[in-house]
Amino acid sequence: MHNADWMTKLPPHLRAMSIVYLAIPGSHNSMTYGISNHSKIAGDATKVMRYLYHVFPWFVRRWAKTQAATVVEQLRLGVRYFDLRVCLKDDDFYYTHAVISMDVTKPLYYIREFLSKQPGETVILDFQHFYDMNAVDHMRLQKMLIQVFGDMLYKPSDGPLLKCTLNYCTKFRKQVIIVYRYNSNALHKDFWPSKSVYTPWPNVCSIKLLKEFLQHSLMSRPPTDGYVTQVVLTPDAKYISLRFYSRLKTTAKRVDRKMIPWISEQIPGPYTCRIPKVNILIGDFIELNSAAFCNTIIQLNEKIQIDFTTQVECPEIRTGRIDHLDDSIYYDDFKEG
């Protein structure tokens, strides 16, 4: 649990750098640790899952659970990006992944409490998917999120994510960034739309195909936005049927073993054309192997070096939509000082 303040301990030049340039550990389907033997089928379950649930409910729960560590444990292990899926059931909001996990509110208060004790840390809450919710339900949920975090939110009115630094978030105690992937016309002004943080889904169940997808996707990463690299396999029906008595955690162990060496080769930092740069990386069961997944990602930040000469190698940097990039590495007192 030694990563509780890893952002706080970053050197000054990294704390003065945009968060879209840092390497940040995240968890996939972050709140599924609440799935238990009593979890009921949810609105996002497919017809096949619903059928299997009535016959083998334990089977569906095994493959729906992607995390074992609680939200507080994840925070202490270094997770700063949370992938959230929400459904409405009996007029209440719950986290979901084929089956109901837990009430939405309680983990958010744990996050707020953690941040109040760790002013140097910043968290991204990405509300990825919503199920069985209408416009009025979204208004209720957004209002609840505002009530929980209030002035702790880093909002679009505070400036683009490209100008969001840890120093700024600490100075003004704006430690929470909420990405809310819903109709932009009905999005609360304090939340960030989908395009702010790209998160391409591999949707493969092969390590080889996963590596190919991730590498190819990084090559086309928008350089001025947040970006999620999903280091996860998505088992299909054939994959699961051949592992009927297994569970997703066994697959996650294999992904860890095969992909952590790949992660360790990645480089975060300001955009250049020569090398694709990572930002947020998410995985399943992030506590495995003494949280090697989180540890490896956090250590990537040691690779970040500022070389202003590399930023003129791409013609796009001097023309088009990122012509301001060469002036955008530092934004706070560190730059001015």
Side-chain angles (χ1 to χ4, degrees):
M1 300 295 181
H2 61 283
N3 290 330
D5 59 350
W6 72 265
M7 285 181 162
T8 307
K9 292 178 178 177
L10 287 176
H13 72 283
L14 297 186
R15 288 191 54 82
M17 184 176 289
S18 170
I19 62 167
V20 305
Y21 293 149
L22 300 178
I24 299 174
S27 53
H28 174 237
N29 272 300
S30 306
M31 302 301 174
T32 55
Y33 65 86
I35 293 175
S36 69
N37 293 335
H38 304 289
S39 294
K40 303 299 183 182
I41 200 73
D44 59 323
T46 64
K47 290 182 179 180
V48 173
M49 289 179 179
R50 291 176 183 277
Y51 172 78
L52 288 172
Y53 180 84
H54 289 296
V55 182
F56 305 110
W58 55 268
F59 171 80
V60 175
R61 292 172 185 142
R62 277 186 175 186
W63 285 94
K65 191 170 185 174
T66 65
Q67 304 296 334
T70 68
V71 66
V72 175
E73 290 169 340
Q74 291 182 44
L75 286 163
R76 292 174 178 170
L77 291 171
V79 169
R80 296 295 178 268
Y81 170 94
F82 293 89
D83 165 22
L84 308 173
R85 326 291 177 95
V86 177
C87 73
L88 184 72
K89 188 175 180 64
D90 299 328
D91 209 36
D92 289 320
F93 298 111
Y94 295 91
Y95 297 111
T96 179
H97 187 215
V99 293
I100 298 292
S101 177
M102 69 182 85
D103 174 78
V104 163
T105 310
K106 196 170 184 179
L108 299 180
Y109 280 105
Y110 286 144
I111 292 173
R112 188 181 73 172
E113 182 181 4
F114 173 86
L115 293 174
S116 68
K117 297 176 181 178
Q118 297 286 353
E121 305 299 301
T122 296
V123 163
I124 301 170
L125 304 180
D126 192 343
F127 287 82
Q128 288 265 3
H129 300 290
F130 305 94
Y131 303 97
D132 300 327
M133 291 173 56
N134 58 33
V136 175
D137 298 324
H138 279 282
M139 290 178 63
R140 283 178 52 213
L141 179 58
Q142 292 181 40
K143 182 179 179 180
M144 183 268 287
L145 294 173
I146 296 295
Q147 290 175 341
V148 173
F149 294 110
D151 293 338
M152 296 182 76
L153 293 175
Y154 183 90
K155 313 165 187 176
S157 60
D158 293 312
L161 289 182
L162 190 62
K163 292 189 177 183
C164 177
T165 69
L166 295 177
N167 279 349
Y168 180 94
C169 292
T170 299
K171 181 177 180 179
F172 296 100
R173 298 303 296 266
K174 293 179 175 293
Q175 299 168 262
V176 180
I177 297 166
I178 292 183
V179 181
Y180 199 94
R181 300 179 189 273
Y182 179 59
N183 183 349
S184 58
N185 295 325
L187 186 65
H188 193 282
K189 61 182 178 59
D190 292 345
F191 300 156
W192 295 83
S194 296
K195 64 181 181 181
S196 304
V197 180
Y198 288 78
T199 176
W201 178 34
N203 193 21
V204 297
C205 51
S206 154
I207 296 290
K208 179 183 177 182
L209 293 178
L210 177 62
K211 287 182 179 179
E212 291 175 357
F213 178 91
L214 297 182
Q215 199 64 40
H216 177 75
S217 299
L218 276 173
M219 293 299 294
S220 57
R221 172 193 169 182
T224 59
D225 300 308
Y227 187 86
V228 179
T229 297
Q230 297 193 29
V231 192
V232 297
L233 293 182
T234 305
D236 57 18
K238 179 181 179 181
Y239 184 97
I240 295 175
S241 64
L242 295 173
R243 298 163 178 82
F244 189 79
Y245 291 102
S246 185
R247 61 187 68 203
L248 187 61
K249 190 170 187 176
T250 304
T251 297
K253 290 179 180 178
R254 177 168 164 261
V255 173
D256 253 28
R257 187 172 65 253
K258 298 288 187 179
M259 293 301 295
I260 284 182
W262 179 86
I263 293 173
S264 67
E265 296 172 353
Q266 303 310 305
I267 301 175
Y271 179 87
T272 69
C273 277
R274 291 189 305 179
I275 304 174
K277 303 294 181 71
V278 294
N279 177 206
I280 300 161
L281 299 96
I282 66 173
D284 292 328
F285 295 96
I286 52 88
E287 80 286 351
L288 289 172
N289 194 22
S290 300
F293 181 81
C294 295
N295 296 336
T296 304
I297 296 167
I298 292 170
Q299 290 167 7
L300 292 180
N301 290 299
E302 298 174 6
K303 297 183 179 183
I304 299 178
Q305 296 179 354
I306 302 305
D307 180 0
F308 289 93
T309 63
T310 63
Q311 297 201 43
V312 297
E313 294 177 2
C314 305
E316 295 87 350
I317 289 176
R318 292 301 181 186
T319 61
R321 64 189 182 95
I322 56 172
D323 58 357
H324 60 284
L325 187 60
D326 54 337
D327 298 322
S328 66
I329 294 180
Y330 299 128
Y331 292 99
D332 49 26
D333 295 339
F334 183 82
K335 177 182 178 182
E336 297 169 2

